Amino acid sequence: MKNDLPLNPQALDLDEPVGGLSSYPPPDRWDDWTEYDPTRWPEKVEKHYSLIPTICFNCEAACGLLAYVDKDKMRVQKFEGNPAHPGSRGRNCAKGPATLNQVNDPERILYPLRRAGKRGEGKWERVTWDEVLDDLAGRIRLALQEGRKNEIMYHVGRPGHELIYNQRVLHAWGIDGHNSHTNVCSAGARTGYAFWHGFDRPSPDHSKARFILLLSSHLEAGHYFNPHAQRIIDGKMDGAKVCVVDTRLSNTASKADYWLSTWPGSESAVLLAMANVLLQENLFDREFFHRWVNWEEYLREEHPTEPQTFEMFLEILKQTYAQYTPDFAAKESGADACMIVEVAREVGRAGSALSTHVWRNAAAGNLGGWQVARALEFLAVLVGAVGTPGGTAPSAWNKYIPAPPMMPPPPNAWNELMWAREYPLAFFEMSFLLPHFLKEGRGKLAVYFSRVYNPVWTNPDGLSWIEALTDESKVGRHACFTPTWSETAWFADYVLPMGHASERHDLMSQETHAARWIGFRQPVLRLALERQGKKFNFTYEAHREAGLGEVWEEDEFWIELSWRVDPDGSMGVRRYFESPYRPGEKLRIDEYYRWIFENSVPGLPQAAASEGITPLDYMQKYGAFLVENNVYELHRKVLKPEELQGSVVDPVTRVVKKNGAPIGIEIDGSPVAGFPTPSRKLEFYSKTLKDWHWPEHSIPGYIKSHVHRDNIDAVKGEMLLLPTFRLPTLIHTRSGNAKWLYEISHKNPVWVHHEDAERLGVVTGDLVRVQTAIGYFVDRVWATEGMRPGVIACSHHLGRWRLKEDFGGERWSTALVDLKQVEPGKWMMRTIHGIQPFESSDPDSSRIHWEDAGVHQNLTFPVQPDPISGQHCWHQKVTVSKARVEDRYGDVFVDTNLAHEEYRRWLQLSRAASGDLRRPLWMIRAYRPAPEAFYFPAE
């Protein structure tokens, strides 16, 4: 047939390749891979490449990349997938290859810059790395010597291997200084999962599932979406069905077998109705629930006068959840009751092969969103799908974090600028409240590091961040680590260029599937040059030779900085940054990873030896290593005799303790690992929540969101704004210099259901004003059937801006704006012009054909902290109206006085710690300090 012919008929004359075609270059040819130069066709001009693996830095999935380094020019020609990577398996989304845009961006920052005028004035001067290091080290040393430990803060957006490397740094300094973005991202879901099993994330085994239940859009975007999407498709090809619970008709929902379009915040009601169906129809795993759930503790604590039997527990359980009928859930959510029942029965039929996932979505949008994750995990527990083939495991089972050399002890320090006493159960730092804490005089910062983080743009209430960052009495010195210009970098004192995916070292491991692996991010041009026999002390020296200015990496920066903080070793800091191979000498970055690969990764030394190379050589060659495959049911692991030596078993709870700390639980007379909860079981009942002043939420339940239907007055024009969905091509602020990605995606219109559009008198392309509690933004309408009536949606990935015409923002992605404080606390932003062609060393910059940069909606959102999880509740109650005569596309107005009032209003919802403890000792805490730091100091 004609359609069977190749596009180029000459291909019919080619010999069939021996062994068939290969999807990827074989690793044994990566040192010298040959391709024909496509720009010289039809001539056959060979080009020789060194293929060097690294890890993508354009989302949290840590997929593998292969950099094709041109051996003649010593520059990266392209990035493709790394087939040796166990998580991504050689496949990447659009963001991986676009790393090339970021590396070659003509506007990237190549040298350290220091502010030369007032903060935000836009005056900068080039300085040396030595000047930067000496200034920051002197300030840190003085703060430590004067006992001002809590005035040093490191605020990270996208981590590398933070829990390994940077924890060493901050703990060596003796500070509780780690701040993160997690409470504007995923703390809600983490909390819901952790109250069940002590781990803070799910790891679904999609490829072996019989039913996949997603509160996400994981075929197109979301947490680890590329590795997950691959395995969702694997599961579907093996017969699995997919259900998507999402208000918006995402691409994922369009490919699902079931789509439940729920009113935002009602998801817990829907999931608990499914649980009710499982209970009433006896579609649950009685044996698993009896053995691994803390039902006995629940009866002892809440029903002490009832018979303490499993049958009584089941009776109470069914009575408790009988209120969550499918009709009730349908009324709350708008989803079809019959479909809720049908999905519940699919869950029951799937049994232990039910994979589930929620990350941001409803858990991040709503007051009480953490209960969405708890309700979702309730379904997995009911059918026994915890850590099973095709089920959903705790995250830590599918990650591997190798121990580094010489880990400092945790410090006796607690920083209330991040871990405020009003939020004792907050799952991560209350980072987005920092401007308000500073405004209230709770503290100040001597040195503030922001690392690949853009709180002015990413966080809610960004103008309060500008007010804080421009106040030198609150923030003494701000050093911004960033590979690109950002809205936050503009207000820093130092802008320090750190490398992209192919320009830095770190280790990654993510829970992509039922396995454990590590991935090695490395500076590929440095490695290519060193293979030619050249030597460098620092990565920025290699980049200087390769034409990348003095772009550096944090790993080496922290070593240098720590040596200058403690130049003679008298403070006890320097010793943690000395070589494990050359006592007393400064640690080199290759020695750090050499030690880890030789001593901390099971099986890696043996795999390397089988090829006659060192473990470091192995990781530099392949870029990843599979530590363990098919990891399932680790809670059943029997404790070893040496682990049990000196232990005791509680006669009531059967918890195995050693030196007062739980290490396992006795099940059927056998001591096993269990789960890292107080009961060592899956905790349907959380005594922690009861003891810490939240008894009404001690079991999975339904918390009415702040944007529940009852709180939305449609007569007044009020609607619900859903601002949390991602685009598959963009990554918060790090993709701003990726021209390929912005050519694809550069608009974030307001999704409006046709009924609402008709009521408002608008059509696609018209302007609307969206009024929040603290201001408004003006955007264009996209009228669609893919959204519930009464709800609007707008992606948070767009709306980038800059304040100067030709400097301080990536012109591929930013609009030029005028930002003024028209009155104290009242800010007005207006677009001067959108994206335009510009002249640069990249000819594509003169070919830009798009103008729209989107609208920055986050500026207009007040902070809305959930009182338990600490998660910022992203969904907004808004008033939508046709734009006024004076409105222009992209307008933003914010009153930060109102923003602080909203902060105070939400603060009143919290229930502060009231005993001796700041926080339950068993709960996870990032960069965990010493146990004594968990106690309030004596008065």
Side-chain angles (χ1 to χ4, degrees), residues 171-250:
H171 282 188
W173 295 355
I175 67 171
D176 183 28
H178 174 265
N179 207 349
S180 76
H181 76 295
T182 309
N183 268 344
V184 299
C185 178
S186 56
R190 290 174 187 259
T191 301
Y193 284 111
F195 279 130
W196 265 110
H197 48 53
F199 300 102
D200 67 340
R201 284 180 301 225
S203 181
D205 190 25
H206 291 312
S207 65
K208 294 184 176 68
R210 288 189 288 270
F211 194 71
I212 300 170
L213 178 55
L214 302 174
L215 276 73
S216 64
S217 54
H218 265 66
L219 282 178
E220 68 201 82
H223 205 60
Y224 313 152
F225 101 84
N226 170 41
H228 279 194
Q230 295 179 33
R231 290 166 174 88
I232 292 169
I233 295 300
D234 289 345
K236 279 184 68 69
M237 291 178 70
D238 282 343
K241 291 184 178 180
V242 176
C243 173
V244 172
V245 181
D246 194 340
T247 308
R248 188 178 57 96
L249 181 59
S250 65

Side-chain angles (χ1 to χ4, degrees), residues 232 444 480 484 568 581 851 869 921:
I232 292 169
K444 61 180 180 178
C480 181
T484 63
D568 59 4
Y581 304 102
E851 180 181 0
S869 69
L921 286 167

